[in-house]
Amino acid sequence: MRETKLRAPFETSSVLVMILAGGEGRRLGPLTSDRAKPAVPFGGRYRIIDIVLSNFVNSGLHKIKILTQYKSASLDEHIARAWRLSPMLDNFIETIPAQQRTGKSWFKGSADAVYQTQHVITDESPTHVCIFGGDHVYKMDMRQMLDEHLERNAEVTVAAIPVPRKEAREFGVIEADASGRIIAFHEKVADPPPMPGHPDLALASMGNYIFNTGNLLNALEQDAKNEQSAHDFGRDIIPYMVRNGKRAFVYDFQTNRVPGEDEGSNAYWRDIGTIDAYWAAQMDLISVQPAFNLYNQRWPIRTAMAHDPPAKFVFRDEWNARVGIATESLVSLGCIISGGRIHRSVLSNRCRVNSFSHVEESVLFENVVIGRHAKIRRAIIDKDVEVPSGAEIGYNLEEDRKRWYVSEGGIVVIPKRAKIG
């Protein structure tokens, strides 16, 4: 495993981080009916927002503002309770709701969200501003991207990940020269331009940016005056800066090396914008050698502390198939596997799986109770749901569709506090 020596020719106190966490998350369907997408549970005990916050905190960047808008109550509560940094060291992680500071409208796009909250930037007077999304799954040492931004004397740097060109049609694609300087930005085009030196690959934007502060504020001011703009960083701000000759560069995410991670996990990045993608990312966690490793103590995923007791597995009546057992699964604190069987599943805190039941390839949120003899397969069950004895979910999708949301990939989603007759 290769470790990268960090020169870090910058002061971390001069870097402000702004996390965009205000999107509706419509494609996640029932999971975002009561919560913002970054507040959706992930990996048993975490929220999606915890991933990007952990990346920044682990990188030593501790001045973070989170821009919220839609259904942000649970996200605001999570940040307030879980992410308290030391004010004595001028560290903070704080949420900023949409406030209509520049007019009678809410955030009209990612760029408009930062434009409407630019007072945060001017108040802090940072040298650089990191603008990142709050809803992707990946690990990244942010210092290395900052280091490259400064080495190139860039005015903006865009993180990108190489993907097969056929898949790149679903992303914003960066066209760059051999030095990494951005020539153009293409939004979901049929024939994405190839990555220099790799004709079968294209550079898909991750929606993560580092700006020099002055350049950012100037670009936002010009964008706000343009009534034809979508006020989006990828569609408007980056192309505007490229057209105007600004030093815009791409950062290849594959080159990033996170302390304690194996070489094979460096390129793991998942856009979990759909139910199928979200479910697949959860299943990635339970692999024998997961690409997204929750057990790297040198780069932990941080979240709120819980006071729940350890998980408990009871009954070993093998003769009557009443055995509390979990295989290839993540089982969180407070769970009781009481004579039921769990296989390839992720359980959040305080779930109970009763005797003779079977849960397979499923994700259970907090306080889910599975009744006796119930059978659950390829399902996501939101919090506070009680599945009655003998119920079957995921075995007859036509019947499931009559009551619940079923994804294109056949994942059944039971919404929060749903009543199952």
Side-chain angles (χ1 to χ4, degrees), residues 56-77:
F56 277 107
V57 169
N58 291 342
S59 300
L61 299 171
H62 299 156
K63 292 187 173 184
I64 303 173
K65 298 285 188 177
I66 302 170
L67 310 188
T68 65
Q69 183 163 226
Y70 297 101
K71 299 177 181 176
S72 62
S74 62
L75 179 61
D76 293 338
E77 291 170 3

Side-chain angles (χ1 to χ4, degrees), residues 42-304:
F42 185 80
R45 63 184 301 254
Y46 309 99
R47 305 289 185 108
I48 295 174
I49 191 73
D50 293 331
I51 297 169
V52 66
L53 292 178
S54 295
N55 284 330
F56 277 107
V57 169
N58 291 342
S59 300
L61 299 171
H62 299 156
K63 292 187 173 184
I64 303 173
K65 298 285 188 177
I66 302 170
L67 310 188
T68 65
Q69 183 163 226
Y70 297 101
K71 299 177 181 176
S72 62
S74 62
L75 179 61
D76 293 338
E77 291 170 3
H78 176 71
I79 298 303
R81 296 173 183 177
W83 287 94
R84 294 187 179 183
L85 301 184
S86 173
M88 181 174 288
L89 300 177
D90 295 323
N91 298 331
F92 53 79
I93 298 179
E94 300 167 343
T95 58
I96 305 177
Q99 302 172 64
Q100 297 186 341
R101 292 178 65 98
T102 59
K104 296 298 182 181
S105 67
W106 303 113
F107 298 154
K108 294 176 285 189
S110 58
D112 185 59
V114 178
Y115 176 73
Q116 289 200 37
T117 55
Q118 62 183 298
H119 63 284
V120 172
I121 301 174
T122 54
D123 287 349
E124 290 296 325
S125 298
T127 304
H128 299 92
V129 181
C130 298
I131 298 177
F132 277 57
D135 52 9
H136 294 147
V137 179
Y138 64 103
K139 290 185 181 180
M140 183 176 179
D141 188 335
M142 307 303 186
R143 295 168 293 187
Q144 294 169 35
M145 185 175 172
L146 275 160
D147 190 32
E148 193 164 301
H149 177 82
L150 289 166
E151 273 187 1
R152 290 170 159 175
N153 193 29
E155 292 168 296
V156 59
T157 298
V158 183
I161 184 168
V163 299
R165 289 181 67 194
K166 291 182 180 179
E167 298 178 15
R169 297 168 184 168
E170 301 300 319
F171 297 93
V173 173
I174 297 168
E175 185 176 357
D177 63 20
S179 71
R181 186 156 184 171
I182 298 175
I183 301 171
F185 187 94
H186 305 272
E187 183 69 26
K188 297 182 179 180
V189 293
D191 186 25
M195 179 179 173
H198 300 275
D200 296 329
L201 299 175
L203 285 168
S205 172
M206 298 168 65
N208 297 335
Y209 315 96
I210 297 176
F211 290 90
N212 292 355
T213 301
N215 296 105
L216 171 63
L217 294 176
N218 289 337
L220 292 174
E221 187 69 32
Q222 294 304 313
D223 180 73
K225 297 175 182 177
N226 182 1
E227 295 182 358
Q228 305 303 315
S229 174
H231 307 296
D232 182 82
F233 276 102
R235 294 180 182 178
D236 303 291
I237 298 296
I238 304 303
Y240 167 81
M241 294 183 72
V242 171
R243 287 195 307 269
N244 284 273
K246 302 300 181 183
R247 292 183 58 80
F249 285 85
V250 63
Y251 175 75
D252 186 351
F253 172 66
Q254 280 195 143
T255 66
N256 198 269
R257 296 293 181 265
V258 171
E261 293 288 315
D262 295 330
E263 287 283 346
S265 62
N266 291 318
Y268 186 91
W269 177 78
R270 294 290 182 270
D271 179 355
I272 52 175
T274 66
I275 290 295
D276 289 331
Y278 172 81
W279 175 86
Q282 299 263 30
M283 295 300 104
D284 286 344
L285 299 176
I286 57 180
S287 301
V288 175
Q289 293 182 316
F292 189 80
N293 180 16
L294 296 175
Y295 300 91
N296 179 2
Q297 295 184 4
R298 296 180 63 188
W299 201 267
I301 304 301
R302 304 172 188 273
T303 191

